[in-house]
Amino acid sequence: MFKRDVKPLGDLLQTFLRNEGLETPLKQKRLLDVWPTVAGATVARLTGERFIKNQTLYVKVLNPALRQDLSMMRQRLVQQLNAAVGGYIISDIHFY
């Protein structure tokens, strides 16, 4: 008998994504997808396009009053979004 090196499929996929440089883009996509859940349905409805550039999440806000409220909650949103994805993906949020 010989001993096989058996690994879970999840570990193999994680290793493959890391080696191919696809882990960060996948987590960024997950972070953009989780925005309505973390921010809430009302906030998600009043926000437009979202994208990530240089570890900063840019969110277009359609309501000026909401933009001010979200600016005050910026740090908490960053922590909640990173926790929802399970990694350090963004360091700041910019509302425009």
Side-chain angles (χ1 to χ4, degrees):
M1 278 281 162
F2 56 91
K3 186 176 180 180
R4 293 186 179 162
D5 186 23
V6 179
K7 296 180 181 177
L9 185 59
D11 292 346
L12 292 174
L13 284 174
Q14 189 70 18
T15 304
F16 173 76
L17 289 173
R18 187 172 293 131
N19 290 341
E20 295 298 319
L22 299 173
E23 183 179 27
T24 301
L26 179 65
K27 285 189 176 184
Q28 288 177 349
K29 173 71 170 106
R30 287 180 182 166
L31 189 132
L32 292 175
D33 290 342
V34 80
W35 169 259
T37 306
V38 172
T42 306
V43 174
R45 191 177 69 243
L46 294 173
T47 56
E49 65 179 83
R50 302 174 304 269
F51 62 93
I52 298 174
K53 184 176 181 182
N54 295 333
Q55 290 187 339
T56 302
L57 174 64
Y58 292 89
V59 180
K60 183 174 186 175
V61 181
L62 306 175
N63 186 340
L66 179 63
R67 182 181 305 127
Q68 183 63 31
D69 289 344
L70 290 175
S71 293
M72 289 188 287
M73 298 173 22
R74 178 178 300 168
Q75 231 13 61
R76 187 173 62 91
L77 285 171
V78 168
Q79 292 172 352
Q80 289 179 345
L81 287 167
N82 283 331
V85 174
Y88 183 77
I89 303 300
I90 59 170
S91 60
D92 194 18
I93 301 178
H94 180 75
F95 300 104
Y96 67 96

